[in-house]
Amino acid sequence: EIVAAIEAALGQGPLSGRRILVTSGPTHEPIDPVRYIANRSSGAQGAAVAQALASLGAEVVFVTGPAEVPPPAGVQVVRVESAGEMSDAVDAALPVDAGVFAAAVADWRVASASGRKLKKSKDGLPSLELAENPDILKRVAHMGEGRPRLIVGFAAETDNVIEHATAKRARKGCDWIVANDVSPETGIMGGSENAVVLITEDGAEEWPRMGKDAVAERLAQRIAAALAE
Amino acid sequence: EIVAAIEAALGQGPLSGRRILVTSGPTHEPIDPVRYIANRSSGAQGAAVAQALASLGAEVVFVTGPAEVPPPAGVQVVRVESAGEMSDAVDAALPVDAGVFAAAVADWRVASASGRKLKKSKDGLPSLELAENPDILKRVAHMGEGRPRLIVGFAAETDNVIEHATAKRARKGCDWIVANDVSPETGIMGGSENAVVLITEDGAEEWPRMGKDAVAERLAQRIAAALAE
């Protein structure tokens, strides 16, 4: 790791000269000025991936929602709140050699967020009409000109992990999916360890449970190898 | 402040022998294992109030949702996630001499939270049916036997602050309301300062804008005076 840091500082890492986008953290979708819909995501895995890529010499643009874990040093940080803002920040970061989409982006937002605090009323409960958010991963993966050479999506699942993640890879049009089981009993959500399956065109590769930092280093090495081809 | 800390340590503060409940932070209401509805609340004002009460010698039970600001030292911390859990924790903390309800409790939860991650479907968007959460403040304020002698609610408003907060005091049946304007342009939400109006049976008392610690100390002194009557 020290060797990698020195190499990176000297511009000699395997990813030196590469520009890589990493999205991370949750998004917050406003309901009104005091309420929002959120995804559970500490941002730990995304921050670790950004750090690992930077330590291999990459120029990293780190687009992060409101995460619990602070951004790593040595990356360009762009802070956003909502999926719409994240989508704009991703566009602004292009072109890149690779994109790692680790953020837990809200699939839906509230169709008409209120500028005033919603009140309890005697007419009953307010209903939240949802609207679909921009699908950032799918959109970038389907870009013609300007598509990053390697696009890595993430899939947080609670059942049928490999099946769901394989379907997600096809649906989104990305190259790889890093999938994990975030059922509460796994302790992965908010924890320091992760147990992932890497889905590529060659199939599903189950990695042993390890620290999120170790997952990040292994993924960064794989990205470096893929971009070197 | 040093004098207060020494007095508190010696059991000589004006609140020594008093047991006070403080609720703080937001609540998170699950939609499914990876999504939730939340209130914006850093927990900064609630933590400051708990600290100020403890420094005047009170035994403080601090029931906190997932806040950004850590709980103060010297208080009994009870951590909860949802409004339902907070309601149970409040019941378990009783009896108390005073209750300060600074938490931003979600008014609504999702009627039937899913144990599985909701999927986008071709049938369109999922609809979130909401159910009303237990009204902790109102319930405790209307207790016959066992009602705390002094009950302080909080009101985060975005318009007509005094009017809304005065109506809230009557509706909830609490003794005081600490109200503030959390419109984004005030910078109070998530900031270090607060500008509050204290609503009592005598009317509305506007306090100047000051640090959240200073608001907490002033409020703690008022609580001590009220309990000494």
Side-chain angles (χ1 to χ4, degrees), chain A residues 15-22 53 57-63 76 78 89-100 148-150 223 227:
Chain A
L15 286 172
S16 68
R18 305 292 190 188
R19 178 175 163 91
I20 303 185
L21 164 71
V22 178
L53 291 166
E59 176 197 355
V60 175
V61 183
F62 185 67
V63 176
Q76 181 191 331
V78 183
V90 164
D91 283 343
L94 299 177
V96 294
D97 295 291
V100 180
R149 275 178 57 203
L150 180 69
I223 290 171
L227 291 181

Side-chain angles (χ1 to χ4, degrees), chain A residues 17-78:
Chain A
R18 305 292 190 188
R19 178 175 163 91
I20 303 185
L21 164 71
V22 178
T23 72
S24 185
T27 65
H28 286 182
E29 307 298 324
I31 298 172
D32 67 19
V34 299
R35 301 182 179 95
Y36 59 93
I37 296 180
N39 286 61
R40 288 186 206 283
S41 168
S42 66
Q45 187 63 77
V49 169
Q51 178 143 45
L53 291 166
S55 79
L56 295 184
E59 176 197 355
V60 175
V61 183
F62 185 67
V63 176
T64 179
E68 291 165 26
V69 171
V75 305
Q76 181 191 331
V77 179
V78 183

Side-chain angles (χ1 to χ4, degrees), chain A residues 34-35 40 107 125 130, chain B residues 34-35 40 107 119 125 130:
Chain A
V34 299
R35 301 182 179 95
R40 288 186 206 283
D107 291 319
L125 299 164
L130 300 177
Chain B
V34 299
R35 301 183 180 95
R40 287 187 207 281
D107 290 320
K119 292 289 181 186
L125 299 163
L130 300 176

